[in-house]
Amino acid sequence: MEKNNFIEFKKERDLGAIITDTFQFIRENWKAYFLTVLKIVGPFLLIAIAALVFYMFAMSDMFNDIDKIDANPGSFFSKIFSWVFGLMFVYILLYTLLSMASLYFIKSYIENKGNPQFDEIKANIIQNVWKFLGLGVLVTIVTVIGAVFCYLPGIYLGTVLSLTTSIMVFENKSIGDTFSHAFTLIKGEWWNTFGVLIVVWMLLMVIGQAFSIPALIYQFVKMGTMMQNDDPTAIFEIFKDPIYLILNVVSYVFQFVLYSIPLISTVFIYFDLNEQKNFSGTFEKIENLGNTNNED
């Protein structure tokens, strides 16, 4: 049964409509959406939080032992690299699963007329997780290379490739076809796409920073107190401070949740561009209208 407040994704939208409908979708489906995300991503989010806390403890211990750093700097930087590499792996997996949960939730929402099915979402994620990870690695490498050689190519590629996850989910293409189709889809619409993304990300940054303020205030106050200590390494003890850790964890969880906003808005962008280029939503409505008439 179709919900009365069902949001139609397959149509053209301007910047204002994309942002408005993104928040409307979250407002009307937040319970089912976040419950789905929690079931799929929750265990990995706990692992990521635990890894973050252990990382802070490890950094505090390493920086507090200055003599060992001077005696063996190679070992120090090796430990830093190991921690950074481990955290990167955990967070890449975490955000990949969040992207998949969000997009397959929307796909199920569309196909079931506003009634997403968890078993269907879970099955799609299990079936395509390695393909998504491969796409994520490819997109990251290409974007970073573009940013290293010149920052502008990185911005250009990042905007184009932001469409790849939606293409893979809604068109079920291979990694290579997804990658090339993103350039075809955005042709002639790069500036409009970039405009929507920059507004959404700026909005996300403003909201996200609001959640970071308590941790920053506490950090400045605590560090100001610790700087009065004769031992300069005492400042690193803040990484073990339970209040500081709790504030940072809470801030991170809220920012993680907020990451759903650009994910959902990117789906609206994808369908907007797809409708402009292929009229898929229009043709689907005509086909459904014909089927309805035939049944009558």
Side-chain angles (χ1 to χ4, degrees), residues 3 20 48 50 62 97 121 191 196 210 223 250 255 262 265 294 296:
K3 290 182 179 180
T20 300
M62 282 190 284
L97 288 173
I121 298 166
W191 281 107
V196 174
M223 288 179 70
V250 171
Q255 291 186 49
S265 65
N294 289 335
D296 293 340

Side-chain angles (χ1 to χ4, degrees), residues 126-194:
I126 293 172
Q127 182 180 352
N128 296 290
V129 64
W130 292 111
K131 191 165 71 168
F132 250 83
L133 283 170
L135 176 67
V137 170
L138 179 61
V139 168
T140 301
I141 291 173
V142 171
T143 306
V144 168
I145 290 175
V148 167
F149 283 100
C150 184
Y151 200 70
L152 290 178
I155 296 175
Y156 172 78
L157 290 169
T159 302
V160 175
L161 300 178
S162 66
L163 302 172
T164 53
T165 50
S166 293
I167 293 171
M168 180 173 282
V169 167
F170 296 104
E171 300 188 29
N172 198 28
K173 292 182 180 291
S174 65
I175 294 175
D177 290 341
T178 295
F179 197 86
S180 60
H181 187 57
F183 289 88
T184 302
L185 192 62
I186 206 172
K187 187 176 181 181
E189 298 292 336
W190 186 90
W191 281 107
N192 290 334
T193 304
F194 175 74

Side-chain angles (χ1 to χ4, degrees), residues 23 200-212 254-255 258 261:
F23 284 97
V200 171
W201 276 104
M202 286 178 67
L203 182 63
L204 183 68
M205 288 175 63
V206 170
I207 299 174
Q209 286 301 314
F211 289 111
S212 301
F254 274 112
Q255 291 186 49
L258 288 173
I261 297 174

Side-chain angles (χ1 to χ4, degrees), residues 21 29 54 59 76 124 147 175 207 261 267 272 279 296:
D21 287 350
N29 299 278
F54 280 118
M59 290 300 102
F76 171 75
N124 276 322
I175 294 175
I207 299 174
I261 297 174
V267 177
D272 170 58
F279 303 103
D296 293 340

Side-chain angles (χ1 to χ4, degrees), residues 24-72:
Q24 182 183 350
F25 178 82
I26 294 173
R27 184 173 64 252
E28 295 182 358
N29 299 278
W30 68 269
K31 187 175 181 179
Y33 173 81
F34 286 113
L35 186 60
T36 298
V37 169
L38 185 62
K39 286 181 179 179
I40 293 168
V41 187
F44 296 92
L45 178 59
L46 292 176
I47 293 172
I49 291 172
L52 179 64
V53 172
F54 280 118
Y55 170 76
M56 289 184 173
F57 270 82
M59 290 300 102
S60 177
D61 291 337
M62 282 190 284
F63 281 108
N64 275 335
D65 206 340
I66 298 295
D67 293 336
K68 286 186 178 180
I69 297 175
D70 294 337
N72 192 355

